[in-house]
């Protein structure tokens, strides 16, 4: 039996389970049937190839409804559970059988992963309810097209499904198993190779700045600085080689579906790196602007490409290139409209200032005028040169109009749309992380030699078993309902008796009760020594012992409290009427005093 659990270290259970608080994900897990319910529809011979052939019209519905089944639940001490789940959202292991002694196996797994040592100093100990599942599709964890991930990735890249499909319990379990089993370690190895590429190329760029471009390659290698430059350039090629091999192995698997933003970025870095090396070592066009442009572009593209690795890790899952892509899809027509506005004002400034020889130089041609519009797109146009020009009124009016339209209206609209797009992206960041992990896994499997796959059968088991904490059974604070159990009368007990209803938002100002009136509507002495009915009412609301039986009853028990409230309201109305009459009398006598 192949066993594994894994994941990146996280500070808390909520952080370790990115989908723990996601309502849609909880609904997916809550709808998982038991194994006995799907045993008739899913036999031991149901594998991925049969699924894709016999259920082409509803593969995703099949995976959601029958791709994963619940084996059962059991409880374990939190001192064992929490250390085991500290680094992952799911515990997984592979097996050649679907029906196993799942409870006994998971208890052994928990003690092995959680070290089986009770933690002292945790305040108290309780039991945690755990749910055991199994992926019912045989060989769903197989590599490449024989498994489930690559067909789903092809479906996603052809825009026929959303990234939420990778949060389906069966798919999420496969991703988690492979990620912890081998993909995370191999991705870290890839990251090390990429850092070699990145650091070596930047070292080459720095050393290349003061190079004598008229020297031949032989003369260049004669100096220590020249040898360092060439060595850094060759080392950058060595760091690039594994990624080029991975890319060449992925293209046949996806065909035209391989073309997307990330793969286009990767291909650009390969082409530019090879072109720079050929031009530099061949001493061709070393003094041309082309080589300089390629060097500058490669510096930027390599930094963008570094984000490929950060998306898959829970603690640093951030990448601004996908964000730019999402924002561009939301704003592409608005950007076109903004460019038209800038072009219109550029033409207007060019025409208004075309005869002003002493005017601003940036408006002497249509090209420089357009660049000036980009420079002043936030509305920071200088008004003094406009007023001192030969057409002061028209130039100043144009400057004021551009400042208002572009700097006040257009830019703020763009910022609002960008913020809205970012909110949508953040809502799907957990799905995007699972998608990125699936891409990494498939890229590794597509280039993995068959002999390595045969030597590592534990990486591709027939069935994947998983374990998760039941979030509905966790002993935790519901932050949205911290004060939900506080009755209307409890704040009155907690509030000082000497405070007045109109100061500091006293609760009695809301309920309409006076501080010197008890629940029966009778006046007290201001010290709380009146009738004890208020205490009985507070005891009833909080569920404390000592509540009056009459208050615990039906409408008859509530009559004294209602009578007291009506009496308090009546007294307040009388006091307000008295104040209004006094104010009216003063207003009537005001003119005579003035005279």
């Amino acid at each position: 039996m192949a066993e594994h659990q894994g994941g990146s270290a996280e500070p808390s259970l909520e952080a370790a389970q990115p989908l723990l608080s996601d309502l849609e994900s909880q609904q997916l897990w809550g709808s998982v049937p038991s194994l006995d319910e799907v045993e008739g529809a899913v036999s031991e011979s149901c594998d991925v190839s049969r699924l894709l052939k016999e259920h082409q019209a509803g593969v995703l519905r099949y995976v959601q409804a029958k791709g994963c089944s619940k084996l059962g639940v059991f409880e374990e001490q939190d001192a064992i559970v929490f250390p085991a789940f500290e680094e992952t959202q799911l515990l997984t292991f592979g097996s050649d059988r679907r029906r196993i002694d799942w409870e006994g196996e998971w208890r052994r797994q928990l003690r092995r992963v959680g070290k089986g040592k009770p933690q002292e100093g945790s305040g108290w100990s309780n039991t945690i309810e755990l749910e055991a599942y199994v992926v019912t599709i045989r060989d769903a964890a197989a590599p490449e097209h024989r498994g489930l991930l690559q067909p789903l990735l092809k479906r996603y890249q052809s825009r026929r499904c959303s990234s939420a499909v990778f949060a389906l319990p069966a798919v999420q379990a496969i991703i988690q198993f492979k990620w912890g089993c081998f993909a995370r370690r191999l991705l870290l190895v890839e990251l090390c190779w990429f850092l070699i590429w990145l650091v070596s190329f930047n070292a080459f760029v720095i050393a290349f700045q003061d190079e004598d471009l008229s020297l031949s390659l032989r003369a260049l290698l004669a100096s220590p600085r020249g040898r360092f430059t060439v060595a850094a350039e060759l080392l950058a090629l060595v760091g690039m080689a594994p990624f080029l091999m991975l890319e060449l192995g992925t293209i046949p698997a996806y065909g035209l579906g391989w073309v997307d933003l990330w793969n286009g970025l990767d291909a650009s870095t390969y082409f530019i790196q090879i072109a720079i090396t050929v031009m530099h070592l061949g001493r061709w066009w070393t003094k041309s602007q082309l080589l300089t442009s390629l060097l500058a572009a490669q510096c930027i593209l390599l930094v963008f490409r570094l984000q490929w690795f950060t998306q898959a890790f829970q603690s640093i899952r951030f990448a601004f290139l996908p964000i730019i892509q999402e924002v561009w899809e939301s704003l592409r027509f608005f950007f076109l409209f903004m460019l038209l506005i800038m072009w219109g004002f550029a033409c207007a400034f060019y025409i208004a200032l075309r005869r002003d020889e002493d005017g601003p130089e940036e408006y002497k041609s249509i090209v420089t005028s357009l660049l000036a519009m980009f420079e002043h797109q936030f509305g920071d146009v200088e008004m003094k040169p406009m007023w001192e020009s030969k057409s002061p009124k028209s130039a100043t009016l144009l400057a004021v109009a551009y400042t208002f339209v572009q700097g006040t209206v257009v830019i703020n609209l763009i910022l609002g749309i960008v913020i809205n797009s970012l909110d949508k992206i953040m809502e799907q960041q957990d799905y995007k992380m699972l998608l990125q992990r699936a891409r990494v896994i498939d890229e590794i499997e597509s280039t993995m030699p068959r002999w390595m796959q045969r030597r590592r059968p534990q990486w591709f088991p027939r069935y994947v078993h998983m374990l998760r904490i039941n979030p509905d059974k966790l002993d935790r604070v519901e932050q949205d309902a911290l004060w939900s159990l506080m009755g209307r009368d409890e704040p009155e007990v907690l509030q000082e008796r000497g405070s007045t209803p109109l100061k500091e938002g006293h609760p009695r100002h809301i309920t309409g009760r006076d501080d010197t009136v008890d629940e029966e509507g009778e006046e007290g002495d201001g010290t709380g020594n009146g009738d004890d009915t208020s205490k009985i009412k507070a005891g009833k609301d909080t569920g404390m012992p000592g509540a009056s039986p009459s208050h615990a009853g039906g409408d008859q028990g509530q009559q004294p409290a209602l009578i007291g409230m009506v009496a308090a309201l009546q007294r307040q109305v009388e006091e307000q009427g008295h104040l209004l009459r006094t104010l009216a009398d003063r207003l009537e006598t005001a003119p005579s005093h003035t005279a």
Side-chain angles (χ1 to χ4, degrees):
M1 179 182 297
E3 301 175 358
H4 186 81
Q5 72 83 30
S8 56
E10 301 301 332
S12 65
L13 181 64
E14 293 283 350
Q17 296 202 12
L19 301 178
L20 187 61
S21 59
D22 182 38
L23 179 60
E24 183 178 357
S25 177
Q26 294 306 317
Q27 292 174 350
L28 292 177
W29 282 97
S31 61
V32 173
S34 65
L35 184 58
D36 294 332
E37 293 174 350
V38 299
E39 190 66 39
V42 181
S43 63
E44 293 287 340
S45 60
C46 180
D47 55 8
V48 175
S49 60
R50 179 181 172 184
L51 171 65
L52 299 179
K53 290 179 181 179
E54 299 182 2
H55 301 276
Q56 291 183 358
V59 173
L60 297 182
R61 289 194 296 269
Y62 187 95
V63 173
Q64 179 177 355
K66 302 175 183 178
C68 180
S69 64
K70 187 175 182 179
L71 297 176
V73 298
F74 67 98
E75 294 184 351
E76 186 58 87
Q77 291 294 322
D78 59 351
I80 298 176
V81 173
F82 284 137
F85 281 88
E86 187 178 8
E87 300 180 354
T88 183
Q89 56 178 323
L90 290 174
L91 292 180
T92 59
F93 70 86
S95 175
D96 292 333
R97 292 181 294 112
R98 193 163 59 195
R99 287 189 175 274
I100 60 173
D101 180 16
W102 52 269
E103 183 175 352
E105 180 62 31
W106 276 123
R107 291 189 185 277
R108 289 190 293 270
Q109 290 278 335
L110 288 172
R111 282 165 172 76
R112 181 182 65 85
V113 177
K115 310 302 181 183
K117 298 179 180 179
Q119 296 180 345
E120 298 180 357
S122 59
W124 65 84
S125 177
N126 63 349
T127 58
I128 303 297
E129 183 175 297
L130 302 169
E131 300 175 334
Y133 298 85
V134 62
V135 178
T136 57
I137 304 173
R138 183 167 60 89
D139 291 331
E144 303 178 78
H145 64 277
R146 293 170 290 166
L148 192 59
L149 289 186
Q150 190 176 100
L152 290 178
L153 284 170
K154 290 182 177 180
R155 191 76 176 175
Y156 171 79
Q157 292 185 354
S158 61
R159 298 181 180 272
R160 288 174 172 81
C161 69
S162 67
S163 58
V165 70
F166 297 95
L168 292 175
V171 183
Q172 187 180 352
I174 297 170
I175 294 173
Q176 180 64 26
F177 172 76
K178 292 189 175 184
W179 174 255
C181 193
F182 63 89
R184 182 176 182 272
R185 296 196 303 270
L186 294 180
L187 184 63
L188 290 175
V189 174
E190 289 186 22
L191 178 59
C192 293
W193 278 100
F194 182 80
L195 291 178
I196 293 174
W197 182 8
L198 179 64
V199 174
S200 300
F201 180 78
N202 282 272
F204 163 73
V205 170
I206 296 173
F208 178 74
Q209 296 303 312
D210 300 328
E211 182 179 306
D212 187 357
L213 301 179
S214 62
L215 296 176
S216 62
L217 181 60
R218 183 184 298 272
L220 181 64
L221 293 174
S223 63
R225 186 182 183 90
R227 289 194 293 270
F228 174 79
T229 304
V230 173
E233 187 175 19
L234 295 177
L235 187 59
L237 277 180
V238 173
M240 182 197 72
F243 299 98
L244 183 59
M245 294 176 59
L246 287 173
E247 213 69 55
L248 294 176
T250 307
I251 293 176
Y254 285 88
L256 293 177
W258 172 86
V259 180
D260 62 4
L261 179 64
W262 282 111
N263 291 327
L265 174 65
D266 296 346
S268 301
T269 57
Y270 304 142
F271 173 78
I272 294 176
Q273 185 66 52
I274 295 174
I276 290 173
T277 304
V278 172
M279 294 173 66
H280 181 253
L281 297 182
R283 313 309 289 173
W284 296 333
W285 305 297
T286 54
K287 298 181 181 180
S288 65
Q289 186 64 29
L290 177 61
L291 180 59
T292 302
S293 301
L294 292 177
L295 288 170
Q298 186 74 340
C299 291
I300 298 174
L301 293 178
L302 288 179
V303 173
F304 272 88
R305 183 167 177 173
L306 182 62
Q307 301 167 73
W308 167 264
F309 303 96
T310 61
Q311 293 182 90
F313 294 100
Q314 174 71 23
S315 56
I316 52 174
R317 47 176 177 169
F318 173 79
F320 51 82
L321 188 59
I323 294 177
I324 294 175
Q325 183 183 11
E326 296 286 345
V327 171
W328 170 252
E329 291 180 357
S330 302
L331 291 175
R332 58 183 183 272
F333 297 111
F334 198 86
F335 275 130
L336 178 60
F337 176 70
M338 184 184 69
L339 290 177
L340 291 176
I341 292 177
M342 298 173 70
W343 171 258
F345 275 98
C347 294
F349 277 109
Y350 172 64
I351 294 172
L353 302 173
R354 70 185 186 280
R355 296 180 179 178
D356 194 348
E357 297 179 356
D358 298 331
E361 294 292 333
E362 54 191 359
Y363 303 106
K364 295 299 183 181
S365 67
I366 188 64
V367 177
T368 56
S369 295
L370 184 59
L371 294 177
M373 295 300 99
F374 277 99
E375 182 181 1
H376 303 302
Q377 61 179 317
F378 292 101
D380 54 344
V381 181
E382 297 182 7
M383 298 296 176
K384 185 177 180 181
M386 302 299 173
W387 186 254
E388 294 177 351
S389 64
K390 292 183 178 180
S391 304
K393 294 182 179 179
S394 60
T396 304
L397 183 61
L398 284 174
V400 172
Y402 183 74
T403 300
F404 176 75
V405 173
Q406 182 71 14
T408 305
V409 179
V410 176
I411 293 299
N412 285 286
L413 284 176
I414 290 178
L415 289 177
I417 297 175
V418 168
I419 292 174
N420 186 44
S421 300
L422 289 177
D423 291 338
K424 294 180 180 179
I425 293 172
M426 296 304 294
E427 290 175 358
Q428 299 179 354
Q429 63 176 347
D430 296 321
Y431 298 158
K432 295 295 184 180
M433 185 192 68
L434 292 173
L435 169 63
Q436 181 63 16
R437 289 185 176 183
R439 284 174 168 172
V440 171
I441 292 169
D442 186 64
E443 185 179 78
I444 294 173
E445 292 178 346
S446 298
T447 55
M448 185 181 297
R450 291 299 178 90
W451 60 266
M452 181 177 291
Q453 295 179 8
R454 291 191 295 267
R455 291 186 60 181
R456 296 288 189 274
Q458 67 273 19
W459 290 359
F460 314 105
R462 288 181 175 270
Y463 298 99
V464 174
H465 291 259
M466 62 197 127
L467 186 73
R468 71 190 290 263
I469 296 176
N470 186 355
D472 297 330
K473 300 297 184 179
L474 282 177
D475 182 19
R476 57 183 178 181
V477 175
E478 299 293 342
Q479 297 184 5
D480 294 336
L482 289 177
W483 297 94
S484 62
L485 300 180
M486 295 290 289
R488 293 181 60 189
D489 301 314
E490 280 184 300
E492 297 184 19
V493 179
L494 301 177
Q495 187 78 13
E496 275 188 20
R497 299 290 297 178
S499 60
T500 61
L502 301 181
K503 290 183 179 180
E504 302 176 358
H506 196 289
R508 289 179 186 78
H509 179 56
I510 300 175
T511 59
R513 306 179 195 175
D514 192 87
D515 190 42
T516 59
V517 179
D518 61 12
E519 295 291 295
E520 293 289 349
E522 312 231 346
E523 295 185 3
D525 56 2
T527 62
N529 294 328
D531 190 74
D532 289 336
T533 319
S534 60
K535 298 180 181 179
I536 298 175
K537 181 67 168 58
K540 166 186 167 295
D541 284 352
T542 56
M544 296 171 57
S548 172
S550 62
H551 288 279
D555 295 338
Q556 182 179 0
Q558 297 180 359
Q559 288 181 359
L562 294 175
I563 294 174
M565 292 177 62
V566 171
L569 289 174
Q570 183 177 0
R571 268 187 287 275
Q572 285 190 357
V573 170
E574 293 176 356
E575 291 177 1
Q576 291 175 0
H578 176 70
L579 291 174
L580 290 175
R581 288 192 296 272
T582 304
L583 181 60
D585 294 340
R586 291 183 179 180
L587 290 175
E588 291 177 357
T589 58
S592 60
H593 290 294
T594 304

